[in-house]
Amino acid sequence: MSDSSSVQLFFVEETAWGEIPVTSPLVFSEFRFTNESLTQNTDTATSEEIRSDRQVSDIIRTQVGAGGDAGIELSYGSHDPLFVGALYDDWSTEVNEVGIGLTVANPSPQNNTSLLILDSGGSPDPFRNVVVGQHLRLTGSLASPTNDGTYKVTAKDTTSSPQTITVSPALPSAETIASANLRGQYISNGTTRKSFQIEKLFSDLSPLQYQRFSGMRVGSMDLNIAPGAIINGSFTFQGKQLVSGSSSVGSSTQSLSTDDVMSAVDNITDIRIDGAEIADAAACFTNVQFTVE
């Protein structure tokens, strides 16, 4: 029997449901987890034939599948492909503009918005991949108070000159930033089903033992954010089948992230509803939980 601390999980996205991806090299990503219950699920039926010897004719398998849960502690980048799998979507084209010129204006403080006016571009048309509704991280501000922070895009105008985007909440200071950095990327609820091959390695057995779960889709996902605790959650998988063996079907493995796990006290700076920051959120919320089914 294997020790629980010697169990490792790895995963790779499938190109066709239930099939090993035809990719060379086939690289599995490390699955950082706290607990797991992945197993094969088998349903059986008992024959109802009437026999003179009063015995049961047979007990047969009627359905085979795979599934279970994997608990996680949230860390940057470690589970991004699985979040995509839960939402049936792909990551948007990344906004990653470095050293562009921006003027911060505040034409509508009563609506809690500010205008970012493009003074000079970076790589062609730096606002081209900005989507209304997404959040952008702004850095490079030298104003006091600084404008560095995360803002939601509420409007975009790339047909006029200069180009502008409107963001919420309102930035603290009017300012011309000579070398601003804008970065953002998002996923949203989609319709493209994702599935994964997941390998469970029992590394303390000799020879090594692998259990490979195919066709694994994220049936549900949850995250729990509470004071005094690490941000944690879980993924629930539903899949095709389990196959055991003494070797991996992958060529190698990689770590998606080695960053520290996150906590509510160090990594949650504010809570916003409809883009507006909740004043004194710590007094209003004891914890935040959400589930994707």
Side-chain angles (χ1 to χ4, degrees), residues 58 84 94 109 153 164 173 177 184 186 195 205 224 230 233 253 262:
D58 208 348
V84 169
E94 183 180 16
V153 180
T164 62
S173 307
I177 307 176
Y186 68 91
S195 61
L205 298 182
N224 310 300
I230 292 171
T253 61
M262 298 180 180

Side-chain angles (χ1 to χ4, degrees), residues 179-199:
S179 183
N181 307 311
L182 277 180
R183 186 174 185 185
Q185 196 172 24
Y186 68 91
I187 50 176
S188 58
N189 196 34
T191 58
T192 304
R193 294 182 176 182
K194 311 283 185 179
S195 61
F196 303 89
Q197 295 268 328
I198 299 178
E199 286 193 339

Side-chain angles (χ1 to χ4, degrees), residues 16-40:
W17 182 75
E19 297 182 9
I20 300 171
V22 184
T23 305
S24 183
L26 179 57
V27 180
F28 277 73
S29 298
E30 179 187 2
F31 194 147
R32 295 175 63 173
F33 70 104
T34 57
N35 58 80
E36 59 84 21
S37 60
L38 300 177
T39 188
Q40 179 166 288

Side-chain angles (χ1 to χ4, degrees), residues 40-184:
Q40 179 166 288
N41 303 314
T42 303
D43 293 338
T44 61
T46 302
S47 171
E48 296 183 358
E49 279 187 340
I50 297 175
R51 293 173 40 143
S52 60
D53 59 4
R54 300 186 298 116
Q55 300 303 310
V56 174
S57 290
D58 208 348
I59 298 175
I60 61 171
R61 294 197 304 178
T62 57
Q63 182 170 291
V64 175
D69 300 331
I72 65 165
E73 294 176 338
L74 187 65
S75 55
Y76 178 78
S78 297
H79 306 97
D80 284 2
L82 300 175
F83 292 137
V84 169
L87 289 172
Y88 284 16
D89 196 20
D90 291 308
W91 286 101
S92 67
T93 302
E94 183 180 16
V95 177
N96 189 14
E97 300 297 332
V98 178
I100 61 176
L102 290 178
T103 294
V104 177
N106 196 5
S108 184
Q110 69 274 17
N111 292 329
N112 198 31
T113 62
S114 291
L115 199 64
L116 300 186
I117 303 170
L118 182 64
D119 293 331
S120 64
S123 53
D125 188 8
F127 290 166
R128 69 194 180 283
N129 295 322
V130 174
V131 175
V132 173
Q134 80 170 109
H135 289 78
L136 294 175
R137 177 73 176 171
L138 171 66
T139 59
S141 169
L142 300 177
S144 181
T146 180
N147 289 311
D148 286 356
T150 302
Y151 303 94
K152 182 178 180 179
V153 180
T154 60
K156 167 183 170 180
D157 183 357
T158 56
T159 59
S160 303
S161 183
Q163 298 181 24
T164 62
I165 55 175
T166 305
V167 298
S168 176
L171 280 71
S173 307
E175 176 189 16
T176 297
I177 307 176
S179 183
N181 307 311
L182 277 180
R183 186 174 185 185

